[in-house]
Amino acid sequence: MDALTLTSAYEILRQPLGEILPKVSAALAPLIPHADAAELSTHCAHSPFKALGGTEQLTAAELAPLLLAGVPGSPWQGVATIGGRAREVVAVKSDATRRGAVLVLVRDDGAAPAGAAELAVAQALWNLVTSHFDRFATEAMPGALARSRAAADTRARVIAELSTAHAAALSGVLGVLRSRALDDTTARTTATDLAATALIEMRAEQRRDRDLAEEPARDAFERLAGELRPMLRHSAVRLDLGAPDADRSLAADVAHSARAIVRALLLIVLEQDSVRRVHVGWQLTEHELRASVRDDGAGALAPCDLGAGSIRDRLDVLGGRLDMDAVPGWGTTITAVVPLATPEAPVEAAHPLTGLGEREVEVLKHLALGHRNRRIAEELHISESTVKFHVANILNKLGVDSRGEAAALFHAAA
């Protein structure tokens, strides 16, 4: 690489993680002109999808096939669905992170294909950037971990709110379209199928999102085992491993942190001359992960021997704690207790009328005044059939069976 390329790489890597994508895009723009850029990076448990650029509504779901089909080291260029329509893209996949990461450059329509030299630079730069990402994730540095947990809280709330809103809207549509008040059977059947398909897709999107944000506990422990075995390969100390027996998944940042903490604890334990055997195990309960390191040494370790550095910093970020049980002559057991979820923020009760549209609220106001359909139609300058449609939708969304019950809910919320 020339000096300019190395300088560009340096400037990119020294940026905060959230500002790296714009720098990568700017560095590649002279080589591969593009209008938008996005990344799907599985190292980032709670913000795996990032995008920038123009007005296109890029989504993680559209990038997922490019991540799955991509070949590390072989950038692909062609047509993909981006922002709901076919666009020319260059997709660069790296395997520097365990489950891979893809950079997608969205090009202007009719753009000339990028040359082999330009694609090689894009691949080398993306490999460098994702290796940098992986180091942050693997080491579970407290600062990055804190930002990840904050993002987790926000992201979880947003997903929950959007899911609830979408489910309410689609359920309302289904309820109305299945209503006997509508006599166009063919239209109702077709629309019902479309709405049902949308519900299925929404749930599939939730599963895809969860797959990026979580890691199976057994896989996570096996990764830890692969990291620990080389540490004792040429040592007289025997390593015993106790994998978790629970068949469930962990938030990826919890898994990263637990591995980093255990590695640090093992190094402390191995400093004792009397140790001949060490057991490392993970135990999952309903609410927490208990990662333990137990030795057969003199049982002379004290809490101060564990230091006040990154181990406790990581646990503080996660709301966890470190327990220690030293028995002279029998050994020491150190257990890092990590909550499996951040404390839930208090959630205000949803306003009962939140799911109604503006016109539906207007109709409901008239229902609350005891007006009949003809009066409502005259007041709002709409047809009686449209009023019937809105009333059916209101009853379905509010989960009530009569106009009187709907009116009561309106008065209670006023």
Side-chain angles (χ1 to χ4, degrees):
M1 290 186 179
D2 58 28
L4 179 60
T5 303
L6 292 173
T7 300
S8 298
Y10 167 73
E11 289 297 330
I12 290 170
L13 297 185
R14 66 194 296 266
Q15 300 299 318
L17 290 180
E19 298 176 20
I20 284 181
L21 179 60
K23 291 292 185 180
V24 170
S25 174
L28 293 177
L31 301 175
I32 307 176
H34 54 276
D36 298 284
E39 67 171 275
L40 190 58
S41 301
T42 58
H43 71 281
C44 188
H46 298 293
S47 299
F49 171 69
K50 300 179 181 68
L52 59 97
T55 59
E56 297 290 353
Q57 298 301 309
L58 293 87
T59 67
E62 292 173 330
L63 266 61
L66 297 174
L67 173 62
L68 294 174
V71 177
S74 299
W76 177 83
Q77 49 186 333
V79 177
T81 300
I82 297 292
R85 70 183 183 91
R87 296 294 303 273
E88 296 281 349
V89 303
V90 171
V92 185
K93 181 176 179 179
S94 167
D95 59 358
T97 59
R98 189 174 67 91
R99 288 178 287 178
V102 65
L103 169 70
V104 176
L105 306 176
V106 183
R107 313 196 67 196
D108 292 325
D109 295 339
E118 289 76 13
L119 294 177
V121 172
Q123 182 70 65
L125 182 58
W126 189 234
N127 287 343
L128 183 64
V129 167
T130 51
S131 296
H132 178 60
F133 288 159
D134 188 62
R135 182 177 68 86
F136 274 89
T138 300
E139 295 300 324
M141 297 176 182
L145 181 58
R147 290 190 294 272
S148 178
R149 295 305 276 176
D153 290 340
T154 301
R155 184 163 169 266
R157 286 195 294 270
V158 170
I159 288 175
E161 291 167 2
L162 289 175
S163 297
T164 300
H166 291 166
L170 292 173
S171 295
V173 170
L174 286 171
V176 172
L177 295 180
R178 289 169 176 163
S179 172
R180 294 179 181 178
L182 301 175
D183 56 7
D184 191 343
T185 304
T186 302
R188 185 162 63 248
T189 300
T190 302
T192 299
D193 289 342
L194 290 173
T197 300
L199 275 172
I200 293 171
E201 178 56 31
M202 182 187 69
R203 289 165 183 159
E205 174 62 22
Q206 289 176 319
R207 287 194 296 270
R208 284 193 294 266
D209 187 82
R210 186 170 59 249
D211 289 342
L212 289 173
E214 297 180 355
E215 187 173 353
R218 290 172 181 163
D219 291 353
F221 186 83
E222 185 55 37
R223 287 186 64 192
L224 172 64
E227 296 166 355
L228 299 185
R229 291 187 184 105
M231 296 171 61
L232 298 175
R233 183 168 297 156
H234 303 292
S235 169
V237 178
R238 174 179 171 183
L239 176 64
D240 295 331
L241 298 169
D245 56 7
D247 187 16
R248 59 185 297 183
S249 293
L250 301 173
D253 60 353
V254 169
H256 290 320
S257 300
R259 284 192 293 265
I261 290 169
V262 168
R263 291 195 304 268
L265 290 176
L266 183 59
L267 289 173
I268 293 172
V269 165
L270 292 176
E271 291 177 358
Q272 305 172 95
D273 294 333
S274 57
V275 172
R276 292 293 175 267
R277 184 173 181 175
V278 176
H279 179 275
V280 173
W282 281 8
Q283 181 183 7
L284 283 167
T285 67
E286 183 179 357
H287 301 294
E288 62 190 21
L289 165 65
R290 302 177 63 85
S292 62
V293 178
R294 185 176 71 247
D295 68 58
D296 64 351
L301 278 178
C304 60
D305 296 322
L306 303 182
S310 60
I311 294 176
R312 296 189 188 279
D313 290 342
R314 291 186 178 101
L315 287 170
D316 286 345
V317 169
L318 295 170
R321 68 180 189 276
L322 200 61
D323 296 337
M324 185 173 182
D325 183 17
V327 181
W330 289 91
T332 304
T333 300
I334 311 168
T335 304
V337 182
V338 183
L340 296 182
T342 54
E344 293 186 1
V347 178
E348 297 181 3
H351 192 286
L353 308 185
T354 299
L356 300 184
E358 183 178 348
R359 178 63 84 180
E360 290 164 347
V361 171
E362 292 177 346
V363 172
L364 181 56
K365 288 179 180 177
H366 286 281
L367 289 181
L369 294 173
H371 296 167
R372 308 309 300 169
N373 288 350
R374 178 177 296 179
R375 170 78 179 275
I376 297 173
E378 292 172 353
E379 293 284 344
L380 298 180
H381 306 289
I382 56 179
S383 68
E384 284 191 57
S385 61
T386 301
V387 173
K388 292 179 182 178
F389 179 88
H390 286 313
V391 170
N393 207 9
I394 290 168
L395 298 183
N396 184 71
K397 286 186 176 182
L398 296 181
V400 296
D401 298 320
S402 69
R403 299 160 70 102
E405 290 180 81
L409 275 180
F410 177 83
H411 289 302

